Amino acid sequence: MTAQRSTLASRVLAGGIQLMLTQGITMITYFLAQRMILSTLTKEANGELFAVRRIADLIVIMLVDAGLNGIAMRRIIQDPASTQRVLSTTVMFRLVMWVVGTMVCMLTGWLMHASLPDLVMWCVFLLISVRSGLIRFTFELPYRAHVRFGIVNVLAIVDAAMFLGLIYVYRSQLSPATIILASVLSAIPGFVLLALYDRGRTIRPQWASPALLRSMLTEAVPIIITSVLVSFHDKIDAMMLDWFSTPLEVGVFGAAYNALSPLTAAIPSTMAMAIVPAVARLAREDMDACRRYATTGLRFLIVISIGVCTVLSTITAAVIDVVSKNRYADNGIHFFTFLWMPVAIFMLVYVQELNIALGEQRKNFLIASMLAGITVVSGLVLIPLHHAYGAIVAKFLAVGCSAAVSYVVIHRVLDLSVDLWFVIRAGLAITVCCMAAAMMPGLVGQFWAAVVNTIIFLGTMIGFRIVHRGDITLIRRLLTP
């Protein structure tokens, strides 16, 4: 058993490192593409693009995802013989629901006077892109479940490189339509190669089972409800901003959101994808080891998020220059505030994935309800008064309060007492780092502020003991052959 855990630990570590490197490459690539997009489109045009994508994201992902990724992952890990039936059933269900979702999306777009061709094209992108977690992600599940990320990583880099290349080719004629077309074209090769690589070994229509689908959907009901609420939280603020404000304000919100989204999508999902398969196995074999993996991952994720937020918010002006060639230079406060959200978002993503892996998906309902409820209530109050910044503050309140609840929830799931002293220390560390990020650039300039604040971050992590000695020991053990 010890040897098996050692092998699993090595695979988790190697897989995590591979995913981190891949996510770093793709994040930089998408940042370069985003720079060309935001520096070329007017704020109004960017607002139109963001609104179209938000309509499709809300409707299609809500209907097609159905919370099946976590259920499918757990089933094929715990019962490998069911892999073909589980994946085939998932794909067939999602294809049918995608048709329904696209039709609903077109009706909604017609009522909101959005571009119907752009909506349909974005629906196609959502179906075949790994970033949406729909059909493409289902093909990748067998590799992710066994912590084998080679082909997954290569195709992700291919997607990003093709998107950057297409944006560069069309750079002189960028519009919402050409950007959406580039997104679709960049996703096709990876999807086709993955399907050809599978060659029908794991996914065939005849292996789909209505009885299995009913069982999976019944098990996924809490996840479906949670997914709907999370999607509602993530997309409704942009739609509310579109109702109560102008396309320019939507464009500002969208620019800040898109500058953050590669970051928030990459790091927590990478950590979760690396650790969740191990947690799912250890939950049946060794619950103490499961707790150590889960809590150590959470603490390191908090440390990583604070470090990322400290450095990036310190160089907010440089981030704006990188992603928009300073087109949004007068929106520094919007970007700075957004750049502190990863602390909460990282925790939310990680905890929800852990809950699903441990079969406690019902616990995510409370978290998702808070996300949706606080977003709507605070948005209705703040957006009419403060427009784009009101939408950002509303999102900040929602993710912050929900992250606090998620910290309590995961400790209860793992049957551990909540370490309030750790919460206080982490809160103080965040406060110190945030104040340093806001003040230092004005005192010593961006470059030296980033250097000083990196030292301040490291000092606060050590001084407030955010990472335990036992965490360092566990990581050292993982690194030891």
Side-chain angles (χ1 to χ4, degrees), residues 22 25-30 33 131 136 154-166 186-187:
T22 300
I25 293 170
T26 57
M27 189 164 60
I28 292 171
T29 305
Y30 282 119
R131 292 161 64 189
R136 168 88 166 263
V154 169
L155 294 181
I157 293 173
V158 169
D159 282 7
M162 283 202 62
F163 181 68
L164 175 61
L166 289 168
S186 67

Side-chain angles (χ1 to χ4, degrees), residues 461-478:
M461 295 303 103
I462 296 170
F464 289 117
R465 292 182 293 122
I466 304 302
V467 179
H468 298 170
R469 181 177 297 176
D471 300 332
I472 303 297
T473 302
L474 178 60
I475 295 300
R476 187 184 298 123
R477 190 178 303 134
L478 291 177

Side-chain angles (χ1 to χ4, degrees), residues 17 24 32 41 68 79 84 127 165 179 205 211 226 285 312 329 377 396 402 424 430:
I17 292 173
L32 293 173
L41 294 183
L68 292 179
D79 182 15
Q84 293 173 332
L127 181 69
I179 293 166
T226 298
E285 302 169 0
L312 288 183
V377 173
F396 199 103
S402 301
I424 292 171
I430 292 170

